[in-house]
Amino acid sequence: MSPIGDYLKKHGFEQFEPKAVLFDMDGVLYNSMPHHAIAWQRSMALFGIHMTEADAYATEGARGIDTIRQMVIQQKGEKITLELAQEMYDEKTRQFHAMGEAPLMPGIIGLMEQIKHQGLSIGVVTGSGQRPLINRLVKDFGAFLDEQHIVTAYDVKRGKPNPDPYLMGMEKAGTQPWQTIVIENAPLGVKAGTASRAFTIAVNTGPLPDAVLTDAGADLLFAKMVDLRDQWSQLFNI
């Protein structure tokens, strides 16, 4: 059976009728995760929290304040306030922006051009809520995207791996799960996409084993964004 056939069987849908593509941001639109990993390690060390590069990739996609509160519970056994978690996340944000802008992910513009040509809508669903990053999304992808189709950490109460961010993305796109394709690179994001019942594609742009993404429920897996770009029209001949 084809990946689409497997998807329909898994969720009990009768048809797959794509009308919208929802992208994660970091590690999908931008090759930004190396910067994020460094910023997480440096900033958390200032607050006595040990965070590794692997931790940064494993928790990618979750709301920053949720990641911080969980790390503090694990390492110090304390429940910190939202205010302190936000203060710690603000420091992480400062460290991230001090490293300059991350480049666009190779292949992403060509992929979006195909999607737009097919008449599908494009949205972004990110665990970030940083205003400079939202502004950059509109600047870099304004030919394909407007701010009304961006979901941030502040649009939902429960972040990834819960389905809420992608369900909000569908609400903004006006689509149902069987009309929606999610493109992710992180296990928490793949879990969120799968939980929303959208067709979920994983692109492994980081150091995690492929199995981490397939075990999270990805319906398709690619090694690079350029591979997805090159195969898109054959996969989705809309």
Side-chain angles (χ1 to χ4, degrees):
M1 190 177 292
S2 69
I4 292 174
D6 290 338
Y7 162 78
L8 293 173
K9 183 178 180 180
K10 178 168 66 174
H11 295 292
F13 295 145
E14 294 184 358
Q15 60 184 352
F16 178 57
E17 189 181 34
K19 293 186 176 180
V21 181
L22 303 179
F23 289 87
D24 177 41
M25 182 174 68
D26 292 304
V28 174
L29 303 183
Y30 299 106
N31 190 18
S32 50
M33 278 309 298
H35 286 186
H36 278 293
I38 294 169
W40 272 119
Q41 293 173 81
R42 290 176 177 174
S43 60
M44 291 304 100
L46 296 176
F47 295 92
I49 297 297
H50 176 67
M51 192 167 187
T52 66
E53 179 186 40
D55 290 331
Y57 279 94
T59 58
E60 179 192 352
R63 298 194 309 168
I65 56 174
D66 293 338
T67 296
I68 289 167
R69 296 182 91 187
Q70 187 61 36
M71 293 290 288
V72 173
I73 288 174
Q74 290 174 353
Q75 295 189 23
K76 295 188 174 182
E78 301 174 2
K79 285 188 176 182
I80 61 172
T81 64
L82 283 173
E83 290 75 17
L84 179 54
Q86 185 64 55
E87 178 186 337
M88 295 168 71
Y89 184 60
D90 288 345
E91 174 58 25
K92 183 263 173 180
T93 299
R94 188 191 69 78
Q95 295 262 6
F96 176 76
H97 287 295
M99 286 182 277
E101 289 190 340
L104 296 182
M105 187 63 70
I108 192 62
I109 295 296
L111 176 57
M112 284 197 176
E113 287 173 344
Q114 293 180 70
I115 293 169
K116 181 180 179 180
H117 182 72
Q118 290 174 326
L120 307 184
S121 70
I122 293 174
V124 173
V125 177
T126 174
S128 174
Q130 302 170 32
R131 188 69 235 176
L133 291 180
I134 307 309
N135 292 341
R136 189 184 176 198
L137 279 174
V138 175
K139 175 176 68 74
D140 290 341
F141 300 102
F144 315 102
L145 175 73
D146 59 52
E147 191 165 342
Q148 285 67 46
H149 290 87
I150 298 174
V151 177
T152 75
Y154 300 114
D155 289 317
V156 293
K157 291 184 178 179
R158 300 191 310 166
K160 304 171 186 178
N162 296 291
D164 307 34
Y166 281 111
L167 292 175
M168 177 62 72
M170 292 180 213
E171 183 177 323
K172 292 190 174 193
T175 58
Q176 298 295 324
W178 61 88
Q179 299 171 320
T180 309
I181 298 170
V182 164
I183 300 179
E184 268 283 355
N185 73 307
L188 296 185
V190 170
K191 288 180 179 178
T194 301
S196 77
R197 304 195 299 165
F199 187 86
T200 303
I201 299 173
V203 184
N204 195 0
T205 60
L208 298 177
D210 287 348
V212 173
L213 298 172
T214 53
D215 290 348
D219 297 297
L220 269 175
L221 175 71
F222 289 87
K224 296 180 292 185
M225 191 62 65
V226 292
D227 295 340
L228 177 56
R229 176 201 63 192
D230 293 344
Q231 296 183 45
W232 181 268
S233 60
Q234 287 90 1
L235 286 169
F236 306 109
N237 186 16
I238 300 167

